[in-house]
Amino acid sequence: MKLRKFLTISCLCFTALQTFGCGPYSYEPSDYYLFRLTPDTDIYNLNKDTWDYYAKRNQDIVNLNITEWQKLVGSNAKSNDVYEVVYKYLETDIARIESLFGKAKSKDTLLRNSFVQHIVRVKDKQALEYLLFAKMCERYRGISIDDWDYPSAEDLKEQEEMLNLIMQKASTIKQNRFSDRYAFQALRAAFTFQNWDLCLKLWNENFEPMKPCSIRTLAEDYIGGLYYRKGDYVKALSYFARTDLNPQNYKCCLSKINEKFTMEEAFAIIYKHDCNALALQYLLQTYGTALETNRSWESYNEPCYLCSVKKSFHALEPAKQKQYMDLHSFCLKAAKDNQVANRAMWQYSAAFISLMCGDIEAAKQETKAGQQMKPNENLSDKLHILYVITEAAGSSFEQQNEQALLQNLRWFEQKIKVNLPKEMTKKGHIEGSFGNWSTYYYNDMLRKLLLGIVIPKYIAEGKNLKTLLLTGYTTELIANLSGYRKHSQEWNEDFSTDIFVMMDTMPVADVQEYVATIYGNSSDSLINYLSSFCYKNKDYYNELIGTKLMREERFTEAAACFEQVKKSYWTSMNIYPYFTYPIFDDANLIRRTSINPKWDYKLKYAQEMSRLKSQMLIMQPSEEKAAVLYRYSLGLIAAEHKFSLTKYGKDCYISYSIYQGNDSVSSEKIDRLLAEAGDMTKDKELSAKCLVARMKMKDAEISDNYWGDNDKKRGKAISKSLYGTLAKLIETKFADTRTFEMLSAQCDTYDLYRQIIYQKR
C-alpha cells in the first residue's frame, strides 16, 4: 500500500538538485524527452547548426541581391552601401536622393554613401523610381499584414486602394531594367489579396522562365505559400524544398499530414531535393519530440510507475501508428543510402520510432546497427543511451544484468562529469529546468533509465534495499559532481528529494538497512558503487527513522533516534517553525496557544508518548488510566492532524502531502481510545473533554471532505455525522461543565452545528 502510494503520489518527479516549497514538478522521469539529434538543450527550436545554416542561407540571398543591384545600375559601390540603400533606407531618404542630382558636392549626409553617389552622378531616375515604389509597397503591405493593426474603415479602404494600384502598376511595367522586380512587387501585393490566379500568371510569365537569381528564389517561396493556402501540400512542399529558406515552411506542411498526404511522402519530397538537407534533421527532431509529448499526456488507471514501461513504449492509435511506421520505413531506407552523409541519424530515428511504438526488441537491434555506422560522438552517445534504455525495458535485473547496469552507471557518471555546465559548479544546481526536460540531457537520461524503468522493476521484484540505493544514487550523483552541498542553503532541502519520498514510504526496517549499508562495506560491487554517492548525514536519517517509528507508535525507539540528532540540525529543518504548540494542553482542542519553537520538540514528545504508552499497557481500569488514555490520545491527535510531528507535508512549507490512509495511526483507533477513557472515568469534566476531542477529529474529517463548500452544506454533513451524535450527548449530559462552556463560546464548527439544529426546529 505504501509503495503504491509512493508511485501514485510522488511519482519520483523532483529535480535532482532543485527542491521547492511548492512541491514536485508535474512530470515523471518516464516522460523525460529521450530523442535528441544534436547536443543542444532546446529541442523545441532550431539547433545551432540548423540556425546557422538558415541564417547563412538567407544572407546568401541578400548578398546575391546586392550583387544583382550593382550590375543593374553599373556601379562598383561597396556592398555595405548598397545594402543600406536597398534594405535600410526609408521612403523619405530615397525621395531626397533625386533632389541631389547636379549637387554632387553637396554636404548632405546621404552622399557619404558610395551607391547614392553613383546614382546621383549618372542621374539614374529609373533606379530611384523603383526603389521609391518598393519602399511604398513595403509600407502598405506591412500595415496590411500587421497582427496588431486595427485600421478604421477609411484606413482599410485606403490600404486596399493603394495595394490595388501597386498591383496594377507593377504588373504593367514591361520595358524596364527593373521590370522583373516590379513584377515581384505585383506578386507580393496579389498574394496579400489572395489573388491566386494573378500570382500564378505572374509566376508563369515572369519568374519560371527566369535563370536562378534572388528574385526568382523569393518569388518561388511565395508560390509555395500559395499552394499551401490552397491546400495542395505536396506542391507547396516541393517549392519550399527548392528554395529552402525557412524550415518552418516544412513544419507547416507536415502539420497537414493525413491519409492523402503521408509523412513518408512529405520527407521523400525534401529528401529527393537534397538527401543531406538540415531541414530533415530539424523535422525528425520535431516529430520525435511530438511523439514523446503526446505519450506523456496519456493516462492509465494503474499507478504510474508500475506501468511506466507500458506507458512509455506501446503501440499508438492505428492512424498515428501507420504514420510513424511509414516514417520508420523511410528512415531505414535512408540509413542504407550511401549518398547520405549521416546515416546513423536515420538509423537512430528508426530505432527510436520502434521503441515508442512498442517494438522494444526491434528498437534494440536497430540501435545496435546504428552503432556500427561510425556515428559522430554526439550520435554515438545518443545511440548508447537508447540501447541502454531498450535493454532495461526488456530485461529483469539478475546478477549478470546488474554488472551491465553498473558499467552503464559508470558511463553516465563520466558523461555527466565531463559535460557538467559551468554554471552548475558555480551555483551547485541547474537553473531553468521546467517541462519534461532540463538544461542537462545526460542527467535527465540517467533519471529516465533508473526512476522510469529500473527502479519500478526492482520494486516489483521486492528488492527494497537496491531500490533505495538506486534512488539515493540518482538523487545525489549530480549533487556530488556539482558540489551542491558546499553551497549554503537557507533551509534544509533534503525533505523534498526522490530518496526522501522513497524512504518515507518504505517500511522502516528497509530504511534502517539502507542507512547501515551506505555507511558499511559490501561484497556486491553495485551496492558499493551506489553507496559511495548516497547522502551521508546521520542527523537526517535518525530524524527520519524516528519519525517513521512514531507513526507505528514505537515511541521508545523513536526517542532513541531523536537523542542522536544535534540541536543545530533540528533548527535547520523546514518544519522547525512549527515546533511551537503545546501538544498535551486541553486548550488545543478549542483554540491553540502558540509558544516559541523548541528544538527538542519531537524528542520530548516521543519521550512523553513512550512513558504514557508504557503506563497505559500495565495499568488496570481506573481514573488514573482514563487520564493516561486521554493524554495519550491527545498526543496521537497532535501527530495525526498538526504540529509536523509525524508528517512533513502538513502544516509546513512543503505544501504537498504524501501521508494518507494507513501511513499513521488511524482515527478509528484514536476515537476508540477516547471513548474508552470517557466510559472509564466518573469525572464529568474529563468525559466532556473526551467527547470534544472526538468531535474535533470528526470536524477535521468533514472539513477535508467538504473543503470549499458553503456553510449550509457543511453544517448538514456535521449534523448527520458522528459529530452530531456526540454534540447531542455533550449537550444533554455535560452542559454544566467548563469544557462545554468553552466549546459553546469558541468553536465555530459547533456554532455552525447549532445553527443547523435551530433551523430544523
Side-chain angles (χ1 to χ4, degrees):
M1 178 65 189
K2 289 173 184 273
L3 290 180
R4 285 179 66 88
K5 202 169 303 167
F6 165 72
L7 300 172
T8 307
I9 300 170
S10 74
C11 294
L12 284 170
C13 56
F14 312 102
T15 55
L17 293 175
Q18 284 184 293
T19 54
F20 300 91
C22 60
Y25 289 139
S26 59
Y27 61 92
E28 305 163 16
S30 59
D31 294 329
Y32 281 127
Y33 289 132
L34 165 65
F35 189 61
R36 196 75 64 89
L37 290 172
T38 70
D40 296 64
T41 59
D42 189 347
I43 57 177
Y44 291 105
N45 299 313
L46 298 179
N47 65 74
K48 186 178 185 302
D49 289 343
T50 310
W51 178 270
D52 290 346
Y53 167 79
Y54 281 104
K56 184 179 183 302
R57 171 73 180 139
N58 282 271
Q59 187 59 49
D60 287 345
I61 298 297
V62 171
N63 293 340
L64 180 59
N65 190 32
I66 289 170
T67 302
E68 290 167 359
W69 265 98
Q70 289 171 325
K71 292 178 180 177
L72 279 169
V73 299
S75 169
N76 292 322
K78 297 175 183 177
S79 296
N80 288 343
D81 286 348
V82 180
Y83 176 81
E84 281 295 316
V85 174
V86 175
Y87 286 93
K88 296 295 185 180
Y89 274 22
L90 303 175
E91 279 183 77
T92 52
D93 298 325
I94 302 296
R96 276 172 52 204
I97 294 175
E98 189 172 1
S99 67
L100 298 174
F101 285 4
K103 301 177 182 178
K105 294 184 180 181
S106 170
K107 293 183 179 180
D108 194 300
T109 54
L110 292 177
L111 288 172
R112 296 174 186 171
N113 184 293
S114 60
F115 191 54
V116 174
Q117 290 173 11
H118 174 82
I119 292 174
V120 169
R121 185 170 61 253
V122 301
K123 298 181 180 179
D124 195 339
K125 289 187 177 182
Q126 211 172 63
L128 281 182
E129 285 176 0
Y130 172 73
L131 283 170
L132 196 60
F133 181 77
K135 296 293 180 182
M136 181 182 66
C137 292
E138 285 293 332
R139 175 161 55 89
Y140 279 102
R141 187 174 175 280
I143 293 172
S144 68
I145 63 174
D146 185 357
D147 291 338
W148 294 97
D149 182 56
Y150 298 93
S152 64
E154 293 78 10
D155 289 341
L156 190 61
K157 184 177 180 181
E158 179 190 351
Q159 290 171 22
E160 291 178 353
E161 288 174 352
M162 285 304 302
L163 283 169
N164 263 314
L165 287 172
I166 289 167
M167 190 165 56
Q168 291 168 14
K169 179 179 178 180
S171 58
T172 56
I173 295 178
K174 300 296 183 183
Q175 303 304 318
N176 189 302
R177 281 177 296 161
F178 302 96
S179 57
D180 293 340
R181 293 174 184 270
Y182 277 107
F184 179 62
Q185 297 301 336
L187 175 66
R188 298 178 78 195
F191 188 90
T192 303
F193 278 112
Q194 299 186 32
N195 189 336
W196 308 136
D197 291 339
L198 179 56
C199 285
L200 289 172
K201 182 174 182 292
L202 289 165
W203 168 255
N204 292 328
E205 292 179 358
N206 294 274
F207 301 105
E208 192 169 32
M210 194 182 292
K211 292 180 180 180
C213 64
S214 64
I215 293 299
R216 189 188 192 283
T217 301
L218 294 172
E220 195 165 14
D221 216 42
Y222 273 97
I223 299 304
L226 177 153
Y227 281 114
Y228 176 81
R229 297 285 187 89
K230 292 181 72 174
D232 192 339
Y233 306 117
V234 173
K235 274 193 174 181
L237 201 52
S238 300
Y239 279 94
F240 289 145
R242 286 197 292 271
T243 60
D244 197 26
L245 291 178
N246 187 346
Q248 295 295 339
N249 291 339
Y250 304 126
K251 191 173 179 181
C252 288
C253 289
L254 267 68
S255 69
K256 303 298 183 181
I257 281 173
N258 53 39
E259 64 276 2
K260 296 181 181 178
F261 176 46
T262 67
M263 195 180 293
E264 183 179 16
E265 183 180 13
F267 272 83
I269 292 169
I270 306 168
Y271 185 91
K272 183 178 179 181
H273 181 74
D274 180 3
C275 64
N276 294 309
L278 277 175
L280 292 167
Q281 176 185 278
Y282 168 70
L283 292 172
L284 283 172
Q285 181 66 70
T286 298
Y287 279 90
T289 300
L291 185 53
E292 293 192 82
T293 303
N294 292 337
R295 181 59 46 79
S296 71
W297 285 102
E298 296 172 355
S299 60
Y300 292 84
N301 294 325
E302 299 177 57
C304 58
Y305 265 66
L306 292 178
C307 65
S308 60
V309 174
K310 183 194 299 183
K311 176 180 178 188
S312 296
F313 316 129
H314 64 82
L316 307 168
E317 56 91 12
K320 282 278 185 194
Q321 181 86 353
K322 184 180 185 309
Q323 283 182 9
Y324 275 96
M325 291 314 293
D326 285 346
L327 178 57
H328 172 268
S329 299
F330 184 82
C331 289
L332 289 178
K333 290 176 186 175
K336 295 175 182 177
D337 187 348
N338 290 328
Q339 299 299 313
V340 174
N342 191 356
R343 294 189 301 128
M345 176 186 76
W346 293 98
Q347 189 70 28
Y348 171 63
S349 301
F352 169 76
I353 293 171
S354 290
L355 178 65
M356 295 304 288
C357 290
D359 195 338
I360 296 173
E361 185 57 34
K364 184 177 176 180
Q365 297 306 318
E366 287 161 0
T367 304
K368 287 174 70 175
Q371 291 173 318
Q372 303 303 314
M373 292 180 175
K374 298 181 180 179
N376 58 37
E377 183 181 359
N378 167 62
L379 267 178
S380 178
D381 286 354
K382 305 302 166 53
L383 281 160
H384 180 74
I385 290 169
L386 185 58
Y387 182 79
V388 170
I389 284 177
T390 56
E391 190 157 68
S395 304
S396 60
F397 290 93
E398 305 303 332
Q399 188 65 32
Q400 183 179 356
N401 289 337
E402 284 191 343
Q403 290 306 306
L405 176 63
L406 175 58
Q407 292 177 6
N408 287 322
L409 295 183
R410 291 187 188 279
W411 182 88
F412 271 108
E413 178 198 343
Q414 290 304 311
K415 284 295 175 182
I416 292 170
K417 187 185 297 182
V418 169
N419 295 282
L420 202 65
K422 291 181 180 178
E423 63 269 19
M424 284 185 60
T425 55
K426 290 178 181 177
K427 299 180 180 179
H429 64 87
I430 301 173
E431 291 186 348
S433 299
F434 65 93
N436 288 5
W437 57 280
S438 78
T439 55
Y440 201 33
Y441 177 78
Y442 291 101
N443 191 60
D444 281 355
M445 291 304 99
L446 175 65
R447 289 169 58 75
K448 184 181 184 74
L449 170 68
L450 295 182
L451 299 175
I453 300 174
V454 177
I455 288 172
K457 290 192 173 189
Y458 272 83
I459 291 173
E461 293 171 14
K463 298 177 179 178
N464 288 358
L465 174 60
K466 286 184 177 176
T467 294
L468 286 166
L469 287 166
L470 285 164
T471 309
Y473 169 81
T474 309
T475 300
E476 290 298 314
L477 175 63
I478 202 167
N480 276 272
L481 298 178
S482 66
Y484 170 66
R485 299 199 179 279
K486 296 177 184 177
H487 298 265
S488 61
Q489 304 294 324
E490 183 180 355
W491 290 103
N492 188 324
E493 296 179 342
D494 297 321
F495 293 87
S496 48
T497 60
D498 301 321
I499 184 58
F500 164 72
V501 177
M502 181 64 87
M503 288 191 297
D504 204 45
T505 50
M506 282 279 191
V508 67
D510 291 326
V511 179
Q512 290 169 322
E513 183 185 9
Y514 166 72
V515 174
T517 301
I518 65 174
Y519 281 101
N521 192 25
S522 171
S523 59
D524 188 315
S525 55
L526 176 61
I527 288 178
N528 278 335
Y529 173 73
L530 297 173
S531 297
S532 68
F533 285 93
C534 291
Y535 182 39
K536 310 293 195 302
N537 186 332
K538 290 189 176 180
D539 288 331
Y540 173 59
Y541 294 118
N542 279 317
E543 194 283 332
L544 189 142
I545 291 171
T547 300
K548 290 175 67 65
L549 288 167
M550 288 203 300
R551 289 184 211 143
E552 299 178 14
E553 298 182 76
R554 295 162 65 180
F555 294 106
T556 303
E557 296 169 77
C561 288
F562 292 151
E563 285 169 354
Q564 299 177 60
V565 180
K566 294 189 288 291
K567 176 181 178 180
S568 58
Y569 185 81
W570 288 115
T571 57
S572 74
M573 294 176 65
N574 292 32
I575 56 176
Y576 174 67
Y578 298 93
F579 291 175
T580 56
Y581 300 107
I583 299 168
F584 301 100
D585 189 341
D586 293 331
N588 283 313
L589 295 174
I590 307 298
R591 180 168 291 171
R592 297 186 293 185
T593 305
S594 179
I595 58 175
N596 293 326
K598 294 187 180 296
W599 70 269
D600 57 354
Y601 190 74
K602 292 179 81 166
L603 171 60
K604 295 297 185 187
Y605 168 78
Q607 290 172 337
E608 176 64 4
M609 291 296 283
S610 174
R611 184 187 69 80
L612 291 170
K613 185 175 182 182
S614 299
Q615 289 182 333
M616 187 175 70
L617 293 174
I618 62 174
M619 293 175 73
Q620 295 299 316
S622 61
E623 290 293 332
E624 290 77 12
K625 182 171 183 177
V628 168
L629 283 171
Y630 172 67
R631 187 170 174 81
Y632 186 78
S633 298
L634 287 185
L636 293 180
I637 292 171
E640 173 67 17
H641 295 292
K642 47 183 171 283
F643 309 153
S644 300
L645 288 163
T646 59
K647 300 185 178 187
Y648 299 95
K650 182 108 171 171
D651 289 342
C652 74
Y653 289 130
I654 303 172
S655 63
Y656 61 92
S657 178
I658 63 171
Y659 308 112
Q660 300 174 6
N662 60 1
D663 279 318
S664 51
V665 181
S666 69
S667 57
E668 289 78 10
K669 177 177 180 177
I670 300 171
D671 186 74
R672 179 172 54 78
L673 289 173
L674 287 168
E676 184 182 347
D679 292 341
M680 191 179 295
T681 184
K682 296 180 181 179
D683 183 341
K684 293 183 69 175
E685 203 67 54
L686 181 56
S687 293
K689 288 176 182 178
C690 290
L691 285 172
V692 170
R694 295 173 69 191
M695 290 166 65
K696 292 293 287 184
M697 286 181 59
K698 184 53 64 175
D699 175 20
E701 180 184 314
I702 292 171
S703 295
D704 288 342
N705 292 337
Y706 287 86
W707 185 85
D709 289 324
N710 58 45
D711 284 349
K712 186 174 181 181
K713 187 173 182 180
R714 184 164 164 264
K716 287 182 177 178
I718 289 168
S719 64
K720 293 178 181 178
S721 69
L722 177 62
Y723 187 100
T725 304
L726 297 173
K728 289 178 184 176
L729 185 60
I730 199 170
E731 288 174 344
T732 54
K733 291 190 175 182
F734 305 102
D736 57 343
T737 62
R738 172 65 177 161
T739 300
F740 179 72
E741 183 182 339
M742 291 176 66
L743 177 73
S744 303
Q746 300 179 14
C747 184
D748 294 337
T749 303
Y750 180 72
D751 185 55
L752 181 60
Y753 161 79
R754 294 298 300 162
Q755 291 177 31
I756 298 298
I757 295 301
Y758 284 132
Q759 287 173 10
K760 288 182 178 179
R761 292 174 180 172

